Amino acid sequence: MPSYEQLSELLAPATTVLLTVECQQGVVGRDSALPELAKEARSSGALANVARLVAAAHESGVQVIHAIAERRPDGRGANHNARLFRAAERLPVQQLTGTTAVRVAPPIEVAEEDFVVRRLHGLSPIAGTDVDPLLRNLGCRTLVVTGVSANVAIPNAVFDAVNRGYTAVVPADAIAGVPSDYTPAMIRNTLALVATITATDDVLACFKRPRR
């Protein structure tokens, strides 16, 4: 874990962006297409911690981007080249554009100044979406990655951020995956090699520091 001074330097509000990944009702909500993942995101406290981080970012002037995965009702443009995509097509809850499934899930609150970036294809919240150009235009240097899942989208986001020159910060208690013991293993053996691993409370302490 980095020291407060090290983390505080990384999380300067003017150059930091908080990214929430697939924290949408059809994924982590009460009527999720993936009930096991939704249960883990809630029971672990990860979703509540994402909400705490978003609220603190709003108060401290840190930009928030919500990355949403969705698909058109006709499926045009969606991937079909992996088992994950084919399985998603058969789920009882579909992440269809314009439905409640693709709204950011409570208790996370979306502010007027937030960006909501929607993707119709692929696995990454960053590659092939508007997130990277938005980050560059915002002057981002550090990307705080939160949300789900530690199995697929979170590592995709971290790798893509690092490959594009950003410093990735991951609050370990603000991401979730399944089974429950997979997330700490992923963090320890993979994400810790390329990202700064920290905790929600430590990020909050940096966000809530007195402004100069």
Side-chain angles (χ1 to χ4, degrees):
M1 291 282 188
S3 67
Y4 171 79
E5 289 74 19
Q6 291 170 325
L7 191 61
S8 183
E9 184 176 353
L10 285 177
L11 296 177
T15 56
T16 297
V17 173
L18 174 66
L19 179 70
T20 76
V21 178
E22 296 182 26
C23 292
Q24 56 203 73
Q25 294 192 35
V27 175
V28 297
R30 300 296 180 187
D31 298 317
S32 170
L34 304 164
E36 184 182 3
L37 177 59
K39 180 180 178 182
E40 179 62 25
R42 291 178 176 276
S43 64
S44 68
L47 186 61
N49 283 333
V50 175
R52 293 170 65 207
L53 288 164
V54 169
H58 292 157
E59 292 176 4
S60 61
V62 171
Q63 180 66 56
V64 178
I65 298 179
H66 305 279
I68 300 296
E70 61 182 49
R71 66 196 307 270
R72 287 167 47 122
D74 60 10
R76 290 176 64 84
N79 286 66
H80 306 282
N81 58 336
R83 191 176 75 175
L84 176 66
F85 301 122
R86 295 191 292 273
E89 293 173 0
R90 299 191 295 271
L91 292 173
V93 177
Q94 294 290 306
Q95 314 300 317
L96 299 181
T97 300
T99 66
T100 58
V102 296
R103 294 178 185 170
V104 175
I108 299 169
E109 294 188 1
V110 180
E112 185 177 355
E113 64 269 22
D114 293 358
F115 290 102
V116 179
V117 177
R118 304 178 182 278
R119 78 177 194 273
L120 293 171
H121 59 83
L123 298 171
S124 175
I126 297 178
T129 75
D130 288 338
V131 170
D132 184 37
L134 287 173
L135 294 177
R136 297 195 181 281
N137 289 343
L138 291 164
C140 177
R141 295 176 58 190
T142 300
L143 186 66
V144 182
V145 180
T146 67
V148 296
S149 71
N151 305 76
V152 178
I154 294 297
N156 262 267
V158 171
F159 295 151
D160 286 341
V162 172
N163 285 334
R164 284 161 174 76
Y166 304 105
T167 297
V169 172
V170 179
D173 53 354
I175 66 171
V178 289
S180 58
D181 59 357
Y182 180 77
T183 300
M186 162 61 79
I187 292 169
R188 181 174 61 253
N189 297 304
T190 303
L191 298 187
L193 302 177
V194 294
T196 297
I197 306 302
T198 185
T200 294
D201 285 345
D202 294 331
V203 175
L204 292 176
C206 294
F207 281 1
K208 294 177 180 178
R209 63 192 160 187
R211 296 191 187 186
R212 296 179 180 177

